[in-house]
């Protein structure tokens, strides 16, 4: 997946000179996770009881989505215009809210599609019930992971750009940190509002036991989230940093002075 990031999505993103085209590509990036996430969720609901406990199956479902969310946040952090940053945060929140509000409609549409496929070609394709205990538990687990990781990925993306900027260029450290802290604050506020609305709908409309699962298994979710973040940092840092490298070294190289890291060692020669 890291190779796919670097040589497909990131390369395409960096090749676009128009900011609007980059904005559109950033918006479309999370949709790439829809099909693999759906397949993994179907497998988790259908077969994971033979491999792993249902209470832990969310880890198999969420990792793919987490990697695409991270890439989305990195692309978002790469925009210099604060309004484009805010726009991507709002679009992320609105899409999440709409996805939550239309669960029932999408379940009915998917059931009809499967019935049609059963009559035509795919007789072995099954529609799993959407409101079983296992399904609601998986929904609760993935929603908890989604809330936590949206916030983590926002902070992680800004941490990347802070570290990359202050370690490679002669810039005021405080100005870089201040800009990123402002973006983090704005992003977290937007995420809080939309996560609150989505969680309210899931708990009171669809009877998803998010509060009960979190209160009982919060340590498991913190550990799983930490493992996902650690894996992403270890294996995806290089392709993700390629987004920033193109911005600083090509798009605006004349505005930045590269830091000379050899000065402390000149007397060793």
């Amino acid at each position: 997946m890291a190779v796919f990031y670097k040589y497909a999505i990131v390369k395409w993103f960096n090749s676009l000179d128009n900011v609007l085209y980059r904005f559109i590509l950033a918006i479309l990036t999370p949709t790439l996770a829809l099909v693999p996430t759906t397949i993994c969720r179907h497998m988790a609901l259908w077969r994971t009881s033979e491999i792993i406990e249902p209470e832990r199956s969310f880890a198999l479902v969420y990792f793919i989505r987490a990697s695409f969310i991270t890439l989305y946040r990195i692309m978002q952090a790469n925009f210099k215009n604060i309004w484009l940053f805010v726009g991507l945060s709002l679009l992320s929140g609105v899409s999440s809210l709409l996805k939550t509000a239309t669960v029932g409609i999408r379940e009915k549409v998917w059931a009809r599609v499967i019935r049609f496929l059963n009559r035509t070609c795919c007789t072995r394709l099954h529609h799993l019930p959407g409101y079983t205990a296992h399904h609601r538990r998986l929904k609760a687990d993935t929603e908890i992971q989604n809330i936590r990781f949206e916030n983590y990925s926002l902070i992680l993306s800004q941490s990347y750009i802070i570290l990359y900027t202050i370690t490679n260029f002669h810039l005021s450290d405080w100005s870089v940190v201040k800009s990123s802290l402002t973006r983090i604050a704005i992003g977290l506020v937007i995420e809080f509002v939309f996560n609150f609305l989505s969680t309210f709908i899931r708990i009171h409309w669809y009877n998803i036991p998010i509060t009960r699962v979190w209160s009982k298994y919060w340590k498991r979710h913190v550990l799983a989230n930490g493992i996902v973040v650690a894996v992403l940092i270890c294996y995806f840092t290089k392709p993700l940093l390629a987004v920033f490298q193109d911005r600083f070294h090509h798009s605006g190289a004349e505005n930045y002075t590269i830091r000379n890291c050899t000065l402390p060692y000149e007397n060793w020669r």
Side-chain angles (χ1 to χ4, degrees), residues 5-122:
Y5 275 7
K6 184 173 182 179
Y7 295 103
I9 304 177
V10 174
K11 187 175 181 179
W12 187 16
F13 182 81
N14 289 336
S15 67
L16 299 174
D17 296 327
N18 192 306
V19 176
L20 179 60
Y21 292 159
R22 290 192 174 198
F23 184 82
I24 295 173
L25 180 58
I27 293 173
L28 296 177
T29 298
T31 62
L32 298 175
L34 291 178
V35 174
T37 302
T38 302
I39 294 173
C40 290
R41 183 183 294 113
H42 186 81
M43 293 173 62
L45 290 172
W46 188 24
R47 293 293 188 185
T48 51
S49 59
E50 302 174 4
I51 305 171
I52 189 174
E53 295 180 15
E55 294 81 5
R56 293 181 171 87
S57 60
F58 69 90
L60 302 177
V61 178
Y62 197 76
F63 180 78
I64 293 177
R65 173 168 167 74
S67 60
F68 281 97
I69 289 176
T70 304
L71 180 59
Y72 175 81
R73 291 300 185 183
I74 292 290
M75 290 179 174
Q76 180 187 18
N78 189 55
F79 288 103
K80 298 179 183 179
N81 191 321
I82 186 66
W83 294 111
L84 293 178
F85 178 89
V86 173
L88 287 173
S89 289
L90 289 173
L91 285 172
S92 174
V94 170
S95 64
S96 177
L97 183 61
L98 288 176
K99 184 177 70 173
T100 301
T102 58
V103 167
I105 298 174
R106 289 186 287 111
E107 286 284 346
K108 293 178 181 178
V109 171
W110 183 238
R112 292 186 178 184
V113 170
I114 290 180
R115 284 199 298 268
F116 173 77
L117 293 175
N118 287 337
R119 291 195 301 267
T120 55
C121 57
C122 306

Side-chain angles (χ1 to χ4, degrees), residues 2-245:
V3 175
F4 176 67
Y5 275 7
K6 184 173 182 179
Y7 295 103
I9 304 177
V10 174
K11 187 175 181 179
W12 187 16
F13 182 81
N14 289 336
S15 67
L16 299 174
D17 296 327
N18 192 306
V19 176
L20 179 60
Y21 292 159
R22 290 192 174 198
F23 184 82
I24 295 173
L25 180 58
I27 293 173
L28 296 177
T29 298
T31 62
L32 298 175
L34 291 178
V35 174
T37 302
T38 302
I39 294 173
C40 290
R41 183 183 294 113
H42 186 81
M43 293 173 62
L45 290 172
W46 188 24
R47 293 293 188 185
T48 51
S49 59
E50 302 174 4
I51 305 171
I52 189 174
E53 295 180 15
E55 294 81 5
R56 293 181 171 87
S57 60
F58 69 90
L60 302 177
V61 178
Y62 197 76
F63 180 78
I64 293 177
R65 173 168 167 74
S67 60
F68 281 97
I69 289 176
T70 304
L71 180 59
Y72 175 81
R73 291 300 185 183
I74 292 290
M75 290 179 174
Q76 180 187 18
N78 189 55
F79 288 103
K80 298 179 183 179
N81 191 321
I82 186 66
W83 294 111
L84 293 178
F85 178 89
V86 173
L88 287 173
S89 289
L90 289 173
L91 285 172
S92 174
V94 170
S95 64
S96 177
L97 183 61
L98 288 176
K99 184 177 70 173
T100 301
T102 58
V103 167
I105 298 174
R106 289 186 287 111
E107 286 284 346
K108 293 178 181 178
V109 171
W110 183 238
R112 292 186 178 184
V113 170
I114 290 180
R115 284 199 298 268
F116 173 77
L117 293 175
N118 287 337
R119 291 195 301 267
T120 55
C121 57
C122 306
T123 56
R124 299 184 62 183
L125 190 63
H126 300 286
H127 177 250
L128 300 176
Y131 295 100
T132 63
H134 186 184
H135 184 273
R136 291 191 296 111
R137 174 59 191 273
L138 182 62
K139 283 282 188 181
D141 286 323
T142 53
E143 183 65 16
I144 291 171
Q145 287 296 308
N146 187 61
I147 293 172
R148 292 183 59 81
F149 198 81
E150 286 284 358
N151 297 329
Y152 281 176
S153 61
L154 178 64
I155 298 172
L156 181 64
S157 64
Q158 293 299 320
S159 301
Y160 269 131
I161 199 168
I162 289 173
L163 292 175
Y164 184 80
T165 304
I166 66 178
T167 56
N168 287 276
F169 303 99
H170 281 290
L171 295 172
S172 171
D173 294 350
W174 171 241
S175 64
V176 175
V177 173
K178 181 181 178 182
S179 174
S180 292
L181 288 177
T182 302
R183 293 178 175 229
I184 289 173
I186 294 172
L188 290 179
V189 169
I190 294 173
E191 287 299 322
F192 174 80
V193 172
F194 285 102
N195 284 335
F196 174 81
L197 295 174
S198 297
T199 304
F200 182 85
I201 292 173
R202 288 188 182 277
I203 293 175
H204 297 283
W205 195 347
Y206 296 112
N207 194 28
I208 305 298
I210 296 175
T211 306
R212 188 164 64 251
V213 171
W214 170 251
S215 62
K216 191 173 182 180
Y217 299 103
W218 66 270
K219 292 181 181 179
R220 180 181 298 173
H221 281 282
V222 171
L223 177 62
N225 223 240
I227 292 174
V228 171
V229 171
V231 170
L232 288 173
I233 292 174
C234 292
Y235 290 96
F236 293 85
T237 293
K238 190 172 182 179
L240 292 174
L241 285 181
V243 178
F244 297 147
Q245 290 170 346

